[in-house]
């Protein structure tokens, strides 16, 4: 009996299989064959999910190899804008001809080389080397480079340092400036005017200098590029957008944020190399474009050029009148340059905790005045600042690591003589306070 049942079931299965086979021989629906969009990013194969090391200078290719196709796509996405290409083409022509090309980078800790090991492997140094090897002569012997990145600093401090840390350091005006303050300008006191002033000062030099804006990004996809983008568009500046590049690759699952970042703000060595490759991709793209006529500089600013031509005041300055009061010491601690070494503001004014409370007093003629003071540990206290006898603010010197704290003291359209006084706030007389430097416009 059981044998007959098994035979019967077998016959039924054969008949069902034949029926299914008959169905699959019918003509397929036309939608069964999908089309592939040209912009679609293929899912990575097991071989391509491994993140390849960045190439020295990736260049576009008509037939990219499968395991690095996504990387090239990432670089191309980083070219947020080529802007007006006339200035950069002139820089490339100058480099190829063997003339000296002066290149500077200005920004915060990412530009300084933060979390690269060693920091001299940061994107700025990698870019200068790659630029020299690609566009210079004899491996870049005609490239003169200075990195003016400084950790924890916004563009309001960049405009104070520009003359000293770029022009004086290069021994010339830059032919090319890379500017990066996208994760530092979130509370910038001039609201973009210092940033625009830097860009304007470079563009109005006599050498038709070029500017590239680097829009760095944090590991949670944040930056202030929307604050700086209007300035870039106003002057038609080329832009490298790391937000679009990195997170395009992350969303496509080609790369993780841990592959690129060490913490919220800083790339690792791989990330710094990606940044360098993205900048080189911008140059390769512009190099392949047809040359354009150089745009005229807009007569009106976008956010403001009030800090154009700013000069730094230190303890060595001679064109202002200063009475030291209790600020007679020099602070050897605090913020320094981590690659080239040395204190970032060595000629400062320090008040010791037991020095009394005679005010620091300075008299000068200016339109704008920025104060940069030290933020140290709990041994540093709060100072009151007076302009022409009126208290304008209290500045807290605690809460940092020796880092800079920039505040805006005077912001006027016409130059006038002013007197600045700085003394410890009531109840803070047993604390220290250090004035790193001032920046002013005449």
């Amino acid at each position: 009996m059981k044998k007959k049942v098994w035979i019967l079931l077998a016959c039924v299965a054969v008949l069902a299989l034949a029926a299914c086979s008959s169905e699959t021989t019918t003509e397929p629906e036309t939608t069964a064959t999908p089309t592939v969009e040209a912009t679609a990013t293929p899912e990575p194969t097991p071989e391509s999910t491994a993140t390849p090391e960045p190439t020295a200078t990736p260049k576009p290719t008509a037939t990219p190899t499968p395991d690095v196709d996504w990387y090239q796509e990432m670089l191309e996405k980083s070219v947020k804008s080529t802007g007006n290409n006339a200035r950069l083409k002139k820089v490339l022509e100058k480099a190829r001809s063997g003339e000296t090309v002066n290149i500077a980078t200005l920004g915060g800790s990412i530009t300084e080389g933060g979390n690269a090991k060693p920091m001299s492997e940061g994107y700025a140094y990698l870019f200068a080397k790659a630029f020299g090897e690609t566009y210079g002569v004899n491996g870049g012997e005609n490239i003169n480079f200075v990195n003016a990145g400084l950790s924890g600093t916004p563009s309001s401090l960049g405009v104070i340092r520009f003359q000293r840390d770029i022009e004086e350091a290069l021994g010339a005006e830059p032919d090319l400036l890379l500017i990066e303050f996208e994760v530092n300008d979130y509370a910038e006191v001039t609201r973009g005017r210092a940033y625009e002033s830097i860009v304007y000062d470079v563009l109005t030099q006599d050498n038709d200098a070029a500017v590239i804006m680097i829009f760095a990004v944090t590991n949670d996809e944040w930056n202030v590029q929307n604050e700086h983008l209007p300035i870039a568009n106003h002057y038609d500046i080329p832009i490298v957008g790391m937000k679009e590049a990195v997170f395009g690759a992350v969303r496509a699952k080609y790369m993780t944020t841990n592959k690129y970042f060490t913490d919220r703000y800083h790339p690792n060595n791989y990330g710094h190399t990606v940044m360098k490759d993205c900048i080189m991709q911008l140059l390769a793209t512009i190099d392949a474009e047809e040359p354009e006529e150089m745009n005229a500089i807009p007569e009106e600013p976008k956010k403001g050029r009030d800090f154009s031509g700013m000069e730094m005041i230190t303890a060595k300055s001679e064109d202002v009148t200063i009475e030291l009061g209790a600020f007679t010491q020099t602070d050897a601690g605090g913020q320094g340059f981590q690659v080239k070494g040395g204190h970032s503001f060595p000629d400062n004014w320090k008040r010791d905790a037991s020095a009394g409370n005679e005010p620091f007093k300075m008299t000068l003629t200016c339109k704008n005045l920025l104060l940069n003071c030290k933020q140290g540990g709990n041994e540093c206290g709060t100072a009151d600042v007076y302009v022409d006898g009126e208290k304008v603010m209290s500045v807290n010197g605690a809460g940092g690591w020796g880092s800079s704290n920039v505040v805006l003291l005077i912001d006027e359209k016409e130059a006038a003589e002013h007197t600045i006084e700085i003394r410890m706030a009531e109840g803070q007389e047993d604390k220290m306070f250090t004035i790193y430097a001032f920046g002013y416009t005449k």
Side-chain angles (χ1 to χ4, degrees):
M1 180 68 181
K2 290 182 178 180
K3 184 175 181 180
K4 291 181 179 180
V5 171
W6 281 110
I7 292 172
L8 179 61
L9 290 173
C11 292
V12 171
V14 169
L15 291 172
L17 182 61
C20 291
S21 175
S22 174
E23 289 179 6
T24 58
T25 59
T26 59
E27 194 69 25
E29 295 292 327
T30 56
T31 57
T33 305
T35 58
V36 180
E37 296 182 7
T39 57
T41 303
E43 287 297 315
T45 62
E47 292 79 15
S48 65
T49 53
T51 308
E53 290 303 313
T55 56
T57 307
K59 294 183 179 180
T61 173
T63 55
T65 55
D67 62 333
V68 296
D69 183 39
W70 72 266
Y71 190 81
Q72 179 60 37
E73 180 180 297
M74 177 175 66
L75 301 188
E76 291 171 359
K77 282 185 177 180
S78 76
V79 182
K80 192 173 179 68
S81 173
T82 56
N84 179 261
N85 68 26
R87 291 173 179 268
L88 269 174
K89 279 187 170 290
K90 185 171 182 177
V91 172
L92 300 184
E93 180 184 351
K94 189 174 182 179
R96 285 175 170 139
S97 71
E99 294 182 66
T100 299
V101 176
N102 297 296
I103 299 177
T105 49
L106 179 65
S109 58
I110 297 174
T111 295
E112 189 173 18
N115 288 18
K117 297 185 184 300
M119 289 181 70
S120 56
E121 291 296 309
Y123 87 85
Y125 297 99
L126 297 177
F127 165 74
K129 181 180 179 182
F131 181 94
E133 292 174 346
T134 306
Y135 301 105
V137 298
N138 297 328
E141 66 179 14
N142 59 324
I143 307 305
N144 183 23
F145 170 69
V146 64
N147 183 5
L150 183 62
S151 297
T153 64
S155 57
S156 52
L157 188 56
V159 76
I160 295 175
R161 298 190 297 115
F162 186 87
Q163 186 179 75
R164 183 196 71 179
D165 292 346
I166 292 182
E167 293 181 342
E168 293 180 13
L170 283 171
E173 294 177 328
D175 295 297
L176 172 61
L177 174 72
L178 281 66
I179 183 170
E180 177 276 311
F181 285 109
E182 296 318 297
V183 301
N184 293 69
D185 270 7
Y186 54 90
E188 195 272 309
V189 294
T190 73
R191 299 183 179 180
R193 292 179 293 154
Y195 189 98
E196 181 172 356
S197 295
I198 295 169
V199 171
Y200 177 76
D201 281 352
V202 175
L203 296 181
T204 53
Q205 294 171 178
D206 293 334
N207 58 349
D208 295 331
V211 174
I212 296 175
M213 292 185 180
I214 312 296
F215 288 176
V217 68
T218 63
N219 71 354
D220 52 358
E221 205 171 351
W222 174 87
N223 63 16
V224 296
Q225 67 183 39
N226 288 340
E227 296 296 318
H228 294 157
L229 189 58
I231 300 172
N233 292 337
H234 190 62
Y235 297 93
D236 213 2
I237 302 293
I239 305 169
V240 173
M242 299 311 302
K243 181 176 182 178
E244 292 78 4
V246 172
F247 285 92
V250 169
R251 275 189 283 273
K253 301 186 185 303
Y254 289 128
M255 184 173 72
T256 64
T257 54
N258 288 338
K259 179 68 179 177
Y260 184 92
F261 294 96
T262 61
D263 56 24
R264 186 187 181 203
Y265 297 99
H266 302 100
N268 53 27
N269 284 53
Y270 183 86
H272 277 285
T273 304
V274 171
M275 289 187 70
K276 176 265 295 181
D277 287 346
C278 288
I279 302 168
M280 294 301 292
Q281 178 66 44
L282 171 69
L283 294 184
T285 302
I286 287 176
D287 196 27
E289 290 180 341
E290 290 296 319
E292 300 172 339
E293 293 292 326
M294 190 176 298
N295 281 357
I297 297 171
E299 293 185 6
E300 297 297 322
K302 184 63 180 179
K303 296 196 172 187
R305 303 164 181 164
D306 309 273
F307 304 89
S308 173
M310 176 157 278
E311 298 181 26
M312 185 188 296
I313 301 172
T314 71
K316 289 188 175 180
S317 298
E318 298 179 350
D319 51 353
V320 294
T321 302
I322 295 176
E323 298 177 26
L324 297 179
F327 291 76
T328 59
Q329 304 299 309
T330 299
D331 196 334
Q335 189 170 29
F337 292 106
Q338 299 182 66
V339 177
K340 56 188 176 183
H343 200 297
S344 52
F345 300 98
D347 303 310
N348 55 61
W349 301 272
K350 175 185 174 182
R351 175 200 174 272
D352 282 334
S354 59
N357 205 17
E358 287 297 312
F360 172 96
K361 186 180 293 186
M362 178 176 68
T363 302
L364 77 166
T365 299
C366 67
K367 290 188 296 184
N368 306 91
L369 182 67
L370 292 167
L371 162 66
N372 176 32
C373 60
K374 175 182 177 179
Q375 282 194 304
N378 292 331
E379 69 274 11
C380 297
T382 299
D384 291 335
V385 183
Y386 298 78
V387 176
D388 300 329
E390 297 286 334
K391 180 181 173 182
V392 295
M393 66 178 64
S394 295
V395 181
N396 184 8
W401 39 268
S403 50
S404 290
N405 179 24
V406 182
V407 296
L408 179 58
L409 300 184
I410 297 174
D411 190 13
E412 298 176 350
K413 297 300 182 183
E414 301 294 332
E417 184 175 277
H418 297 283
T419 299
I420 314 301
E421 294 184 45
I422 301 175
R423 60 165 61 93
M424 299 308 293
E426 184 177 355
Q428 297 287 300
E429 294 88 354
D430 61 341
K431 301 286 187 178
M432 297 188 301
F433 196 88
T434 298
I435 303 166
Y436 274 153
F438 295 91
Y440 78 111
T441 59
K442 298 177 181 178

